[in-house]
Amino acid sequence: MKQDRDRFKAIAIAIVVIFILSISGIVRLITDYWWFDALGASQIFMTGLKAKILLFILSASFFLAFALINLRISSKSNESRFSFKRKFMVVLAISFFIGLSSSGKWFVVLQYLNQVPFNLSDPIFAKDVSFYVFSLPFMIALRNFLMACVIITALLVLVDYLQSFIVRFFKQPEIIAPDGTTYSADFKLAISNMGQKALVHITVLGSFFFVLLAAGHYLARFGVMYSEKGIVVGAGYADVVAYLPVVQVLMIMAAIIAVLCYVWIFAISKQQSPGKRNILASVIVIYLIASLIAPAVIPGIVQAFKVSPNEEKLEQPYIESNIKFTKIAYGLTKVVEKDFSVEMMTPEILSNATATLDNIRILDWRPLTQTYKQTQEMRLYYDLSGIDIDRYEINGNYTEVMIAPREMNQERLQAKTWVNLHLVYTHGFGAVMSPVNSVTKEGMPNYLIKDIPPVCTVPDEELQIEVPQIYYGEMDNDFVIVNTRTAEFDYPMGDANEYTHYDGGGGVKLDSSTKELLMAIRFADIKIMLSGEITPESRILFDRAIRERISKITPFLTLDEDPYLVISDGKLYWMLDAYTVTDKFPYSERHGSINYVRNSVKIVVDAYNGDVTCYIVNTTDPVIATYTKIFPGYFKSFDLMPDGLKKHVRYPEGLFEVQSAIYNTYHMDNVKVFYNKEDAWQIPNEVYGTGKQVPVDPYYIIIKLPGGAKEEFVLMRSVTPIRKDNMVAWLAARSDGDHYGELLLYKFPKERLVYGPLQIEAKFDQDAVISQQLTLWSQQGSRVTRGNLLVIPLSGSILYIEPLYIQAETGQLPELKRVLVSDGERVVMEENFASALVALFGETRSDGAAEAGSEEGEKSTDVLIAEAQMHYDAILDSMGTNWTAFGENFDKLGEVLGELGGD
């Protein structure tokens, strides 16, 4: 009785735990459906849910039926301590977990059923790429599921037979038959008969096992498309000549063993000689030895003795395939390569590039972040850490800007009460914007948009923000409830605050007690039900971090790391690039975990309502075409994107990083050159911050490309040869209008030395005036921060620009104090970019002629004045701290003043 009571308690506790877990899962399911429905994405939710349920039912039912049939057979052949009802419960539990595991493959199945062909076949098996991307993963998943069913069932049957043997061994020879009758028999004979039936049963299951092994070998053949054993990714000579035949032999052997299983069963039933019955065991042993040794040893021998001595010749067709498929996989087949003949920079070139020079990014976003935070956050609970680069038409001028949203950071609230966290401090407010090329005399940014409420310092309608509230952003804030009886904090106004009520359609409407109850359960927060501030018009906003929000809707898309804020029609929007990726593209080089990528989707999120809209920008991508078949109607055509948002679409930096890294090697089309890596490139380094060498990041710039009609927004970076510092080319990605997505590579003449970023950094450091000034600032308790070195191509010439920031050791407000500029030969350091150009080239007129009165080889008056100012500043900085520098600069100032007097 006590055992029964304990068993009842255990069952009761288990039922309670399962019920609680089930309730939690059901509540999350229902509330998620409300969330998806509010976003107009219920179709995605229901498609995924139906697919998961159907897969769960099919896989669990298949295993349940297969396992029970086999256990029924084993139960009839022996006596068991356990009733068939108990076995059924065990199998039912295992079926649940089998179904649960299989349901996770729902998207693999949907991709297989809705696949769109690539119309590109591999050179070995002549299979369309869609077979590798969509069909092969499904086939492998199906084979693995069937193998799991066979193995688990075989183990259950084996345990059933073994426990029956144990029962018979310890019991009296009186045997209870399955029909309940008792009889006496020879104990050994009974054991022998039962053992024979068990062996036959296990052997049948073994035949299924070897059939699936044969299927596994068949599918493994296609794995050579991702082989990394050769000189490139993909099938090489040894793979094709040695590995594939070995796998084919193993496949045939596994199939033969499956047939021999039935031959062996026939031999037992006919009581044939042991020799014939041992054939199966011998073949299995041979198969196991071959499968362990042959796939590695035989291709290795071929590679060592056949391929290595003739590698370039034998691997040539496979290298060609790798180059072709890798360039296709990363969208590099249409890179337009052009020559860029480097000439010395002249005043004429500068005069013709005024629009580009007016948008040179002399402000670096990392030091600028600190400046924004110190001058524009206004209150502790605001956060301005997400600076992005974009372009706007401001008063008729195409202008590159930096923009940052002023988000609410609930972690910074001083009073973290439930009301403050969930009802009052619900949103951020406005944005801060400044041009990339303009600062005040103090080195601070010249704000185009600033303060609270947002103040636009230029009369331009495009920058006006009419709805500044940010309910959805990059910050991972908690859920909030809006439209309650408690007014929401809107923004600070002097000693008081302004309050508001939400007027949007975001979130889930709490218009019933059921919704309040389920939300309270979901968030484990009973106050949602108890609060008297919630009305039927209230809305609960959750999952408000935009990257997590989008990932929840479209988990099959890979998101860019950098969402950016856009002002359009008086509202704030987030734009985010999404990629279709796979690691199953044949013959393609890997970059991290992927070997295929397309920026097929641009995603827009309304910062006020949280609405998510996905626009397809690449209609030739078979992957996104497959997704649109799975979820018809959800993705929208790029043509439907409002024009105000289209103007801010930009080539994503994340994609450009991947493509430029791949193209460093795969710009080489010649197999011989590729094999020897004769012309391999690398991403150059620069000196950044306090003197640390870091890779040069890609950067956005407004520039007139060589041969271009006008200035445009471009993402670019330079490249250098492997283990060298001189530049050999620069790669640009276009973002504007019909040219969006075009990649251009400008190659420098190989016979011409073009300085790379590190070489120019060395020139800056070797300049006596510049190095002396940097040393003086450091000695005076200030921290010198070097910004990004920008390489700016201008009509066949190169200009190098680097900002310098000064920050007190005890302060957090970096100021732009100097700009370093070089034309590749000369270097100057001035207070601003314009002065630096004057110091290098003299004043220029609109017709491009040099300043009147300055003869060839002589310095203009403006240049001399700029030099005098520089030496004067150095005298003031060194006074009382470095008298040697004081004397040197005093003498140089006298020389410059003498030249001015001579003029």
Side-chain angles (χ1 to χ4, degrees):
M1 290 293 293
K2 186 176 183 302
Q3 288 182 345
D4 291 340
R5 285 197 301 270
D6 292 341
R7 186 179 302 167
F8 177 78
K9 288 180 181 178
I11 293 173
I13 292 172
I15 291 173
V16 170
V17 171
I18 293 172
F19 176 76
I20 293 173
L21 293 176
S22 299
I23 286 294
S24 176
I26 292 171
V27 166
R28 178 167 287 273
L29 193 69
I30 295 171
T31 53
D32 273 345
Y33 174 76
W34 291 337
W35 185 88
F36 274 84
D37 189 50
L39 285 168
S42 58
Q43 178 204 26
I44 290 182
F45 180 86
M46 293 306 299
T47 299
L49 180 61
K50 290 175 183 176
K52 290 175 185 176
I53 292 174
L54 185 59
L55 265 182
F56 176 87
I57 293 173
L58 289 176
S59 56
S61 300
F62 179 87
F63 175 78
L64 183 65
F66 183 73
L68 287 179
I69 289 171
N70 280 275
L71 285 174
R72 173 64 72 181
I73 294 171
S74 64
S75 297
K76 287 184 176 180
S77 302
N78 63 85
E79 70 170 312
S80 174
R81 292 179 56 203
F82 306 108
S83 66
F84 190 76
K85 187 179 294 186
R86 287 189 181 180
K87 296 175 186 177
F88 176 82
M89 295 305 295
V90 171
V91 174
L92 188 64
I94 297 174
S95 299
F96 175 81
F97 291 105
I98 290 282
L100 207 61
S101 175
S102 298
S103 66
K105 298 292 184 180
W106 67 276
F107 199 64
V108 173
V109 175
L110 290 181
Q111 286 184 102
Y112 170 73
L113 296 174
N114 296 276
Q115 62 183 281
V116 173
F118 281 70
N119 295 320
L120 173 68
S121 298
D122 78 89
I124 305 299
F125 301 105
K127 296 279 190 182
D128 189 86
V129 171
S130 59
F131 170 81
Y132 297 94
V133 177
F134 304 124
S135 298
L136 189 58
F138 169 76
M139 293 177 180
I140 292 173
L142 179 61
R143 180 259 181 189
N144 290 343
F145 165 73
L146 294 174
M147 183 65 84
C149 290
V150 170
I151 291 175
I152 295 172
T153 300
L155 291 174
L156 291 173
V157 168
L158 185 60
V159 169
D160 194 32
Y161 280 117
L162 286 175
Q163 61 85 25
S164 180
F165 288 152
I166 294 171
V167 170
R168 285 179 178 268
F169 184 79
F170 286 103
K171 284 187 67 175
Q172 296 296 325
E174 184 178 76
I175 299 174
I176 303 174
D179 59 3
T181 61
T182 45
Y183 62 95
S184 296
D186 181 76
F187 182 66
K188 291 184 178 180
L189 179 60
I191 290 291
S192 176
N193 290 336
M194 188 173 65
Q196 182 171 322
K197 291 179 181 179
L199 286 174
V200 169
H201 192 175
I202 295 297
T203 303
V204 171
L205 290 174
S207 71
F208 296 162
F209 176 78
F210 280 100
V211 166
L212 292 172
L213 277 182
H217 290 309
Y218 172 79
L219 296 176
R221 295 161 62 243
F222 303 108
V224 297
M225 292 294 102
Y226 322 115
S227 171
E228 298 183 7
K229 297 176 183 177
I231 190 171
V232 293
V233 172
Y237 183 87
D239 293 314
V240 175
V241 172
Y243 178 77
L244 287 180
V246 166
V247 173
Q248 194 162 358
V249 169
L250 291 175
M251 178 182 68
I252 295 171
M253 288 183 68
I256 290 172
I257 292 172
V259 175
L260 286 177
C261 286
Y262 295 98
V263 174
W264 185 84
I265 292 171
F266 179 79
I268 284 184
S269 65
K270 297 299 183 181
Q271 299 295 318
Q272 293 184 0
S273 63
K276 293 183 178 179
R277 286 182 279 171
N278 290 335
I279 293 176
L280 177 61
S282 302
V283 175
I284 291 176
V285 170
I286 294 171
Y287 167 79
L288 291 175
I289 293 173
S291 62
L292 289 173
I293 297 174
V297 173
I298 295 178
I301 292 172
V302 173
Q303 180 70 32
F305 296 100
K306 175 70 173 177
V307 178
S308 293
N310 309 281
E311 190 172 51
E312 182 182 343
K313 179 181 178 182
L314 294 178
E315 296 286 6
Q316 178 177 346
Y318 308 108
I319 293 174
E320 288 176 348
S321 295
N322 173 261
I323 293 173
K324 174 186 174 182
F325 278 77
T326 297
K327 294 178 80 170
I328 292 173
Y330 290 96
L332 296 171
T333 57
K334 296 182 179 180
V335 177
V336 178
E337 296 190 0
K338 299 183 178 182
D339 293 328
F340 190 91
S341 57
V342 182
E343 306 294 339
M344 280 299 297
M345 185 70 67
T346 64
E348 290 79 11
I349 292 176
L350 294 177
S351 296
N352 293 327
T354 54
T356 298
L357 295 176
D358 287 343
N359 282 285
I360 295 296
R361 180 167 64 86
I362 60 172
L363 290 171
D364 191 289
W365 68 267
R366 279 160 284 202
L368 188 64
T369 298
Q370 291 298 319
T371 303
Y372 271 25
K373 292 172 77 68
Q374 290 294 315
T375 60
Q376 285 294 312
E377 280 188 346
M378 305 299 187
R379 295 291 188 273
L380 184 63
Y381 40 76
Y382 285 131
D383 194 297
L384 275 165
S385 58
I387 291 182
D388 295 296
I389 297 175
D390 201 357
R391 73 285 197 195
Y392 287 78
E393 197 79 28
I394 300 177
N395 293 334
N397 297 316
Y398 201 41
T399 306
E400 186 173 351
V401 301
M402 291 188 174
I403 182 171
R406 187 182 288 106
E407 292 196 59
M408 173 66 65
N409 187 342
Q410 291 182 329
E411 291 296 320
R412 295 182 180 178
L413 289 175
Q414 296 298 298
K416 294 188 177 69
T417 64
W418 189 88
V419 171
N420 279 347
L421 287 172
H422 301 295
L423 304 184
V424 177
Y425 292 92
T426 58
H427 58 272
F429 200 86
V432 177
M433 179 188 288
S434 62
V436 298
N437 65 327
S438 178
V439 294
T440 65
K441 292 182 179 180
E442 294 77 24
M444 296 290 103
N446 271 320
Y447 291 113
L448 297 171
I449 301 175
K450 62 178 182 178
D451 299 341
I452 301 178
V455 175
C456 185
T457 61
V458 292
D460 195 294
E461 291 186 3
E462 190 173 356
L463 301 185
Q464 301 299 324
I465 304 176
E466 298 172 6
V467 184
Q469 291 83 4
I470 301 176
Y471 285 87
Y472 300 87
E474 295 186 80
M475 302 298 300
D476 188 18
N477 288 318
D478 208 342
F479 73 87
V480 296
I481 304 175
V482 296
N483 278 357
T484 65
R485 293 186 178 91
T486 300
E488 300 171 51
F489 167 77
D490 201 22
Y491 60 89
M493 179 64 76
D495 295 332
N497 293 325
E498 288 291 321
Y499 292 88
T500 188
H501 281 277
Y502 185 68
D503 191 31
V508 177
K509 199 170 185 180
L510 298 176
D511 52 5
S512 69
S513 300
T514 302
K515 287 186 175 181
E516 291 184 21
L517 172 62
L518 295 187
M519 289 297 179
I521 295 173
R522 178 191 177 109
F523 295 106
D525 194 338
I526 192 63
K527 293 179 182 177
I528 294 176
M529 287 196 68
L530 299 180
S531 174
E533 302 299 305
I534 298 175
T535 73
E537 297 300 316
S538 298
R539 293 177 173 271
I540 183 167
L541 281 53
F542 58 98
D543 291 333
R544 297 190 293 144
I546 54 176
R547 293 190 79 255
E548 288 71 22
R549 186 177 185 81
I550 297 169
S551 292
K552 185 172 179 178
I553 301 171
T554 55
F556 42 84
L557 295 177
T558 299
L559 302 182
D560 193 81
E561 295 293 330
D562 186 27
Y564 57 101
L565 193 72
V566 171
I567 302 171
S568 179
D569 295 327
K571 296 187 65 177
L572 298 177
Y573 297 91
W574 293 96
M575 295 193 75
L576 183 60
D577 291 280
Y579 309 112
T580 53
V581 302
T582 182
D583 60 351
K584 301 295 189 299
F585 201 90
Y587 262 119
S588 177
E589 183 70 31
R590 285 186 175 275
H591 184 86
S593 61
I594 66 170
N595 67 358
Y596 172 92
V597 61
R598 289 290 186 275
N599 174 218
S600 294
V601 181
K602 301 288 185 181
I603 301 177
V604 177
V605 181
D606 189 315
Y608 189 74
N609 288 325
D611 294 336
V612 178
T613 310
C614 298
Y615 298 96
I616 296 178
V617 294
N618 186 346
T619 56
T620 63
D621 176 22
V623 180
I624 195 62
T626 298
Y627 296 168
T628 56
K629 286 183 66 178
I630 297 172
F631 308 108
Y634 181 73
F635 295 95
K636 295 184 178 181
S637 169
F638 182 65
D639 295 335
L640 299 177
M641 180 184 283
D643 292 336
L645 294 175
K646 278 184 182 178
K647 292 189 296 184
H648 298 282
V649 167
R650 67 184 192 185
Y651 201 89
E653 188 174 337
L655 176 63
F656 191 73
E657 288 266 15
V658 173
Q659 288 178 316
S660 57
I662 292 295
Y663 205 67
N664 282 343
T665 301
Y666 284 86
H667 68 277
M668 297 179 286
D669 291 321
N670 184 280
V671 173
K672 185 177 180 63
V673 174
F674 185 95
Y675 175 80
N676 294 307
K677 299 295 186 289
E678 295 175 13
D679 193 26
W681 300 338
Q682 66 181 11
I683 304 303
N685 286 339
E686 64 174 338
V687 177
Y688 185 81
T690 55
K692 183 179 179 181
Q693 285 194 20
V694 298
V696 175
D697 291 329
Y699 46 89
Y700 292 100
I701 181 174
I702 290 179
I703 186 174
K704 185 177 181 181
L705 293 170
K710 61 179 182 178
E711 277 72 20
E712 55 185 289
F713 194 61
V714 168
L715 180 62
M716 66 165 288
R717 83 179 328 164
S718 56
V719 292
T720 63
I722 289 287
R723 292 184 292 276
K724 290 187 178 181
D725 294 330
N726 61 291
M727 282 196 304
V728 292
W730 56 281
L731 183 66
R734 307 174 82 172
S735 294
D736 289 350
D738 294 336
H739 294 295
Y740 175 84
E742 294 179 5
L743 292 174
L744 304 172
L745 180 75
Y746 293 91
K747 289 183 171 182
F748 300 136
K750 291 191 175 182
E751 68 277 4
R752 179 75 181 269
L753 174 64
V754 179
Y755 291 119
L758 272 184
Q759 293 171 320
I760 294 298
E761 299 277 16
K763 277 183 168 288
F764 288 146
D765 292 337
Q766 291 165 6
D767 184 85
V769 175
I770 295 174
S771 61
Q772 184 183 80
Q773 185 63 67
L774 295 179
T775 302
L776 283 174
W777 279 323
S778 299
Q779 291 175 346
Q780 292 172 356
S782 297
R783 186 170 65 205
V784 179
T785 299
R786 301 172 79 146
N788 286 126
L789 176 69
L790 303 182
V791 179
I792 311 296
L794 295 173
S795 301
S797 299
I798 299 291
L799 197 65
Y800 305 86
I801 303 164
E802 180 175 284
L804 281 182
Y805 290 84
I806 306 298
Q807 181 177 337
E809 291 290 347
T810 56
Q812 297 183 1
L813 195 62
E815 299 176 1
L816 179 66
K817 283 298 184 184
R818 295 290 187 272
V819 178
L820 304 175
V821 179
S822 174
D823 61 359
E825 298 298 331
R826 300 166 294 171
V827 298
V828 296
M829 180 176 71
E830 297 295 333
E831 289 188 358
N832 54 61
F833 180 52
S835 299
L837 290 181
V838 169
L840 269 181
F841 307 106
E843 190 71 42
T844 58
R845 300 199 311 263
S846 59
D847 60 2
E851 179 192 41
S854 61
E855 299 179 6
E856 184 177 357
E858 294 182 356
K859 296 180 179 178
S860 67
T861 302
D862 285 328
V863 171
L864 291 172
I865 292 174
E867 288 186 5
Q869 182 65 48
M870 181 179 66
H871 292 306
Y872 178 71
D873 291 341
I875 289 172
L876 295 179
D877 290 334
S878 59
M879 189 177 295
T881 59
N882 188 330
W883 291 107
T884 301
F886 176 88
E888 291 176 354
N889 281 290
F890 190 84
D891 293 338
K892 290 179 180 178
L893 177 61
E895 294 174 3
V896 173
L897 292 176
E899 291 185 50
L900 280 170
D903 290 344

